[in-house]
Amino acid sequence: MQHILLTGGSGFIGSNFVRFVLRHRPDCKVTNLDALTYSGNPQNLADLEEDPRYKFVHGSINDMELVQSLLPDMDAVVHMAAESHVDRSILDARPFVETNVLGTMTLLDAMRRVDPGNQKRFIHVSTDEVYGDLPLDQPNLKFNETTPYAPSSPYSASKAGSDMLVRAYHHTFGMNICITNCSNNFGPYQFPEKVIPLFVTNLIEGQKVPLYGDGSNVRDWLHVDDHCEAVLAVLENGAAGETYNIGGNNERSNLQLTHAILEVMGKGKDMIEHVKDRLGHDRRYAIDATKIKTDLGWEPTRSAWPAALESTVKWYIDNEPWWRNVKSGAYREYYNKQYARR
Ligand code: NAD
Ligand code: TYD
């Protein structure tokens, strides 16, 4: 039986990963170390509270003593804990450096102390945003694993910093690591500051959707279950020291995305509000996922639209108490502040 220490398991991708692993690897155990920041939500895993294979530990990846006390029982670490939103990093970069860079370093140092022989695996979940952005007029260009890093937001700079540390710990100490760089995820339990759940829940509430700039920016949309499957494939079969890009093969401009959401929800284009562009807004992300297909036999099977978008919209319609709770209180204040800036 494999016992995984998952960091950030109460967030969007983490909670989907816990469910995915326990469903597809019934002999596995998952311990979730999560600080429950604004985006960590115990409700995301409420259905697993009684499952003996799942354990929650409330704490920070920056707590060296706590991390060290958890590691001896683990076979592997899957590291997802992070500050994850570009717009927040533009408001204040400090928590991004503290969690994404220093937190990752603390985990790596704890691994070295507990496991000097490098028996345990460490999978670092990162983003395609570390590669910077691509021009809109050269659709054949995509990021592959040798694309030089050129992060442009404080968020992506902090993730790039963490990736570099992970690589350095492999090179210097021989740690048994892999890095995954994936594109934009979508699916259930995503915090409604990210564009898809924000737009869908705004429309359910009868509010307009704030589209940044002219809406020409392009993202590659990956269903979270495809992402979870890919991370599991890397955990089980990735080669030590390697990086794997993970994409949905599903590029859309934000305008196309918005029109698709409006269509699924039966709303008109008058619900779009063009607002001031994000500072330093990356134009296009696109993933070349040849390596993970060739080396590990993984490719996306759940990300294609319209079906994947329709089922995601339906999840938010069916789970209104979940997002109404998340959108209340502190988050509402944050959203109104962001909105007022536009
Ligand atoms: P999220 O914001 O929904 O969840 C982050 C989780 O980390 C939360 O549960 C939070 O409480 C926890 N956390 C934050 N600081 C912590 C700390 N110091 N100690 C312990 N836990 C802490 O983020 P997400 O969208 O699920 O992203 C998960 C990972 O995937 C991140 O590393 C992110 O950079 C990466 N990623 C996300 C996307 C995406 O589209 N969402 C795309 C590429 C990569
Ligand atoms: P987001 O979900 O924040 O992810 P990321 O910035 O990591 O790609 O944004 C996805 C795209 O949607 C991005 O190009 C910015 C745009 N966007 C809007 O147009 N309006 C919004 O209110 C938000 C949050 C994002």
Side-chain angles (χ1 to χ4, degrees):
M1 180 193 284
Q2 226 199 5
H3 194 163
I4 299 168
L5 177 64
L6 173 67
T7 71
S10 303
F12 161 50
I13 300 172
S15 58
N16 280 285
F17 187 73
V18 175
R19 224 173 260 108
F20 192 91
V21 167
L22 296 182
R23 190 177 334 126
H24 294 275
R25 298 289 183 273
D27 291 339
C28 260
K29 281 195 204 166
V30 181
T31 292
N32 165 24
L33 172 62
D34 198 296
L36 298 180
T37 65
Y38 77 94
S39 69
N41 184 351
Q43 285 300 313
N44 296 0
L45 289 166
D47 54 317
L48 290 178
E49 269 162 21
E50 303 300 317
D51 192 318
R53 299 170 301 163
Y54 171 69
K55 186 176 161 203
F56 173 66
V57 177
H58 186 195
S60 171
I61 55 169
N62 273 309
D63 184 341
M64 170 66 95
E65 221 172 286
L66 174 63
V67 175
Q68 261 186 257
S69 73
L70 296 172
L71 282 175
D73 290 340
M74 305 296 155
D75 302 297
V77 174
V78 175
H79 175 32
M80 295 193 181
E83 288 294 331
S84 66
H85 197 213
V86 173
D87 289 325
R88 285 183 191 255
S89 78
I90 293 168
L91 287 177
D92 182 9
R94 182 169 297 276
F96 288 74
V97 174
E98 282 170 357
T99 291
N100 301 359
V101 182
L102 294 177
T104 301
M105 187 190 75
T106 306
L107 283 179
L108 292 167
D109 282 338
M111 288 282 284
R112 283 190 55 225
R113 289 187 191 177
V114 172
D115 180 35
N118 297 318
Q119 296 302 305
K120 299 179 197 291
R121 299 274 281 154
F122 184 94
I123 309 302
H124 177 62
V125 174
S126 190
T127 168
D128 60 357
E129 301 188 25
V130 297
Y131 299 120
D133 70 347
L134 295 163
L136 292 176
D137 58 359
Q138 293 176 68
N140 292 334
L141 281 185
K142 290 176 193 281
F143 302 131
N144 66 37
E145 289 79 358
T146 63
T147 303
Y149 275 31
S152 33
S153 72
Y155 163 67
S156 53
S158 70
K159 291 297 286 189
S162 67
D163 292 14
M164 291 301 173
L165 274 174
V166 175
R167 286 185 185 188
Y169 275 59
H170 169 72
H171 183 84
T172 309
F173 306 113
M175 278 184 65
N176 186 355
I177 62 97
C178 289
I179 298 175
T180 59
N181 297 91
C182 71
S183 58
N184 286 62
N185 282 224
F186 68 105
Y189 298 104
Q190 187 166 30
F191 196 86
E193 63 187 351
K194 308 285 176 9
V195 71
I196 290 182
L198 174 67
F199 281 17
V200 171
T201 58
N202 270 15
L203 289 168
I204 300 173
E205 289 180 303
Q207 285 186 38
K208 293 196 174 192
V209 298
L211 186 61
Y212 295 166
D214 62 5
S216 63
N217 307 63
V218 171
R219 298 292 183 263
D220 167 32
W221 291 100
L222 169 71
H223 192 274
V224 66
D225 279 345
D226 270 339
H227 182 205
C228 291
E229 184 182 61
V231 171
L232 192 56
V234 172
L235 171 65
E236 292 178 339
N237 296 310
E242 291 296 317
T243 287
Y244 298 90
N245 280 357
I246 304 167
N249 201 15
N250 191 27
E251 275 182 62
R252 314 282 158 161
S253 73
N254 291 338
L255 200 57
Q256 287 172 323
L257 162 72
T258 307
H259 287 168
I261 293 173
L262 290 171
E263 194 177 321
V264 171
M265 298 188 67
K267 305 280 182 185
K269 293 186 182 149
D270 56 314
M271 293 307 282
I272 300 177
E273 184 173 0
H274 287 276
V275 297
K276 211 165 80 195
D277 209 354
R278 172 186 281 171
L279 292 177
H281 197 171
D282 280 341
R283 285 160 296 181
R284 173 173 168 252
Y285 305 138
I287 287 271
D288 174 353
T290 308
K291 179 175 169 180
I292 190 168
K293 183 175 178 190
T294 310
D295 292 5
L296 306 181
W298 178 87
E299 57 185 328
T301 57
R302 305 165 176 89
S303 298
W305 289 5
L309 184 66
E310 283 165 5
S311 64
T312 298
V313 169
K314 185 174 179 325
W315 189 87
Y316 289 93
I317 291 171
D318 292 346
N319 289 273
E320 197 162 324
W322 178 86
W323 60 260
R324 281 208 183 272
N325 178 42
V326 171
K327 266 189 150 182
S328 65
Y331 173 67
R332 185 71 69 184
E333 268 168 46
Y334 161 80
Y335 179 76
N336 290 340
K337 209 161 82 187
Q338 278 280 28
Y339 201 75
R341 284 168 190 271
R342 294 170 185 146

